Amino acid sequence: MLGSVYRAELPNGKILAVKKLDKRVSDHQEDDEFLELVNNIDRLRHANIVELIGYCVEHGQRLLIYEYCSNGSMYEALHSDDEFKTTLSWNARIRIALGAARALEYLHEQCQPPVIHRNFKSANILLDEDLSVRVSDCGLAPLITKGSVRQLSGQLLAAYGYGAPEFESGIYTYQSDVYSFGVVMLELLTGRQSYDRKRPRGEQFLVRWAITQLHDIDALSRMVDPSLNGAYPAKSLSNFADIISRCVQVSYSVFLVRRIWIP
């Protein structure tokens, strides 16, 4: 949505990820605003957040250079056609969810001022060589609120199933990030995409399909990703579903990720 990401290799063999911002973003932002954005991103330091390595504002280009995560994204791990998906055991999924939750806790509670992600989704949850989480696009919310990108972000989040109900009204808060986190957990639980137009009409939006079944133990068991082959503790599954429910219910009262999970 904000731009394209490229894999870059330096002469010394070091691999980096380069995000080239879309013209729709850069055309609505002055150079000093971009430099302020870079400074704010550079202050984000956490084990579960992708580290900014550098930037470029030359030749009409605006680039953000990040550390490279060798195992791609959670979206790719769950929804690609290769065999990587089979490596995501129940424990691996728990670790991914915890890493993502800790990243949000850091952004919402430890950063001053607090940071709303605004584009939290499985494609932005990157995985390193040991499947540790690195959340990307942190600190880029100011770009999403610029001009036509703001309108586009609302359409995309709604269409792809990550947008909280209030987003349709142009409202986005810390709770909205928590809602998106609940959708990500649903992906981990079911192995389904947040929005899949290939499925029957009543199953295309993951939250709408799943929300009424999360507290029905039989229905919940049928929802679990078949690739797990039943290899998960029933109690852990129930707790996982309870957290999801508290994140995505329409009138949810959960405000901070720490209150729902993090020890």
Side-chain angles (χ1 to χ4, degrees):
M1 179 176 65
L2 295 177
S4 301
V5 179
Y6 301 89
R7 180 181 182 274
E9 182 173 355
L10 301 183
N12 63 4
K14 184 177 179 62
I15 306 298
L16 297 171
V18 179
K19 190 178 191 75
K20 179 182 177 183
L21 296 180
D22 191 279
K23 288 289 289 182
R24 291 173 300 176
V25 174
S26 57
D27 285 349
H28 285 277
Q29 190 178 52
E30 301 296 332
D31 284 348
D32 58 344
E33 292 179 306
F34 178 71
L35 293 177
E36 181 181 0
L37 179 80
V38 169
N39 287 331
N40 289 335
I41 297 173
D42 189 50
R43 285 197 287 265
L44 302 179
R45 301 288 179 176
H46 190 271
N48 297 117
I49 289 178
V50 174
E51 181 180 354
L52 181 71
I53 304 297
Y55 69 96
C56 176
V57 289
E58 297 179 355
H59 308 297
Q61 305 279 4
R62 288 187 178 174
L63 309 177
L64 296 170
I65 298 90
Y66 293 96
E67 64 175 317
Y68 180 76
C69 296
S70 59
N71 267 324
S73 70
M74 180 192 129
Y75 180 90
E76 293 167 332
L78 284 175
H79 308 307
S80 64
D81 295 329
D82 60 26
E83 296 181 358
F84 181 44
K85 179 177 175 180
T86 62
T87 68
L88 286 184
S89 65
W90 180 252
N91 286 340
R93 296 174 197 228
I94 292 288
R95 290 197 302 272
I96 290 171
L98 278 170
R102 289 183 176 120
L104 278 185
E105 182 205 24
Y106 169 76
L107 294 174
H108 291 179
E109 293 196 358
Q110 298 177 28
C111 289
Q112 294 298 327
V115 175
I116 299 177
H117 191 286
R118 200 180 175 92
N119 193 25
F120 195 83
K121 56 186 180 181
S122 60
N124 282 335
I125 298 177
L126 307 183
L127 306 172
D128 67 12
E129 62 276 1
D130 61 355
L131 298 186
S132 294
V133 163
R134 300 287 190 275
V135 176
S136 66
D137 278 13
C138 299
L140 297 186
L143 299 180
I144 300 176
T145 62
K146 290 289 183 180
S148 60
V149 180
R150 178 174 184 175
Q151 181 181 4
L152 179 62
S153 69
Q155 294 170 349
L156 288 177
L157 275 173
Y160 293 152
Y162 292 101
E166 68 271 14
F167 203 87
E168 295 288 345
S169 302
I171 300 171
Y172 202 98
T173 68
Y174 304 102
Q175 287 176 293
S176 308
D177 276 350
V178 173
Y179 180 97
S180 298
F181 171 73
V183 179
V184 165
M185 287 186 65
L186 263 179
E187 288 183 80
L188 288 168
L189 173 69
T190 65
R192 296 187 177 209
Q193 298 182 51
S194 60
Y195 172 74
D196 188 349
R197 63 181 181 181
K198 296 179 181 179
R199 291 191 178 274
R201 190 174 185 85
E203 299 182 17
Q204 291 181 352
F205 283 94
L206 182 55
V207 171
R208 295 178 189 173
W209 169 74
I211 188 64
T212 59
Q213 308 179 67
L214 289 172
H215 296 298
D216 181 328
I217 190 62
D218 292 330
L220 180 60
S221 298
R222 292 191 295 270
M223 287 168 56
V224 178
D225 189 344
S227 71
L228 286 167
N229 295 315
Y232 53 84
K235 185 175 181 180
S236 178
L237 175 65
S238 179
N239 290 339
F240 204 84
D242 183 56
I243 294 169
I244 294 171
S245 178
R246 295 167 67 185
C247 289
V248 302
Q249 58 185 305
V250 174
S251 58
Y252 51 90
S253 59
V254 177
F255 189 72
L256 300 173
V257 175
R258 176 178 55 83
R259 294 179 185 171
I260 61 175
W261 199 352
I262 294 181

